[in-house]
């Protein structure tokens, strides 16, 4: 069998090793987040748990002086928006602004 990169033959047999039970518990239970958790999605699509401390740190790091200038926007992401976000994430650093703040 040839290597997928085309650089030689594959000669070693590898065997699948199942993950330990402790690592699969979350998958069996349906995920890693339990209960109600709110996340903050940044314009560059970075996701972080939302808390008072993380929000204040974010505002300080971005030198936000006028909190009244901030805007919260709830958006619904369907197939078209998802595709637009994917494209925008490949083209610019402000994917959310690019997709959801259009005039």
């Amino acid at each position: 069998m040839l290597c997928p990169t085309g650089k030689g033959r594959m000669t070693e047999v590898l065997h699948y090793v199942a993950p330990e039970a402790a690592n699969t518990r979350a998958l069996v239970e349906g995920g890693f987040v339990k209960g109600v958790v709110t996340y903050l999605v940044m314009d560059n699509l970075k996701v972080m748990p939302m808390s008072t401390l993380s929000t204040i740190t974010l505002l300080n790091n971005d030198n936000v002086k006028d909190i009244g200038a901030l805007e919260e926007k709830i958006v619904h992401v369907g197939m078209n928006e998802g595709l637009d976000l994917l494209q925008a994430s490949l083209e610019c650093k402000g994917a959310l602004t690019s997709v959801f703040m259009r005039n």
Side-chain angles (χ1 to χ4, degrees):
M1 175 180 240
L2 288 179
C3 175
T5 62
K7 294 184 180 179
R9 297 188 59 78
M10 295 172 46
T11 58
E12 289 187 45
V13 176
L14 299 177
H15 300 282
Y16 172 75
V17 177
E20 296 176 20
N23 293 339
T24 60
R25 188 185 79 199
L27 297 175
V28 172
E29 293 176 359
F32 291 98
V33 177
K34 301 295 175 212
V36 177
V37 178
T38 302
Y39 290 94
L40 178 64
V41 181
M42 307 298 295
D43 202 19
N44 63 0
L45 301 182
K46 179 180 175 184
V47 178
M48 57 193 275
M50 188 168 183
S51 69
T52 303
L53 181 59
S54 65
T55 303
I56 291 170
T57 302
L58 177 68
L59 294 173
N60 285 334
N61 289 345
D62 289 342
N63 293 321
V64 175
K65 304 294 183 206
D66 182 13
I67 294 178
L70 298 176
E71 179 180 343
E72 177 181 19
K73 184 166 185 163
I74 298 171
V75 298
H76 300 282
V77 181
M79 181 65 75
N80 292 335
E81 293 84 3
L83 291 172
D84 288 346
L85 275 172
L86 176 60
Q87 181 177 359
S89 71
L90 297 172
E91 296 174 348
C92 66
K93 292 183 179 182
L96 287 177
T97 297
S98 174
V99 172
F100 294 109
M101 299 302 280
R102 296 179 192 154
N103 292 331

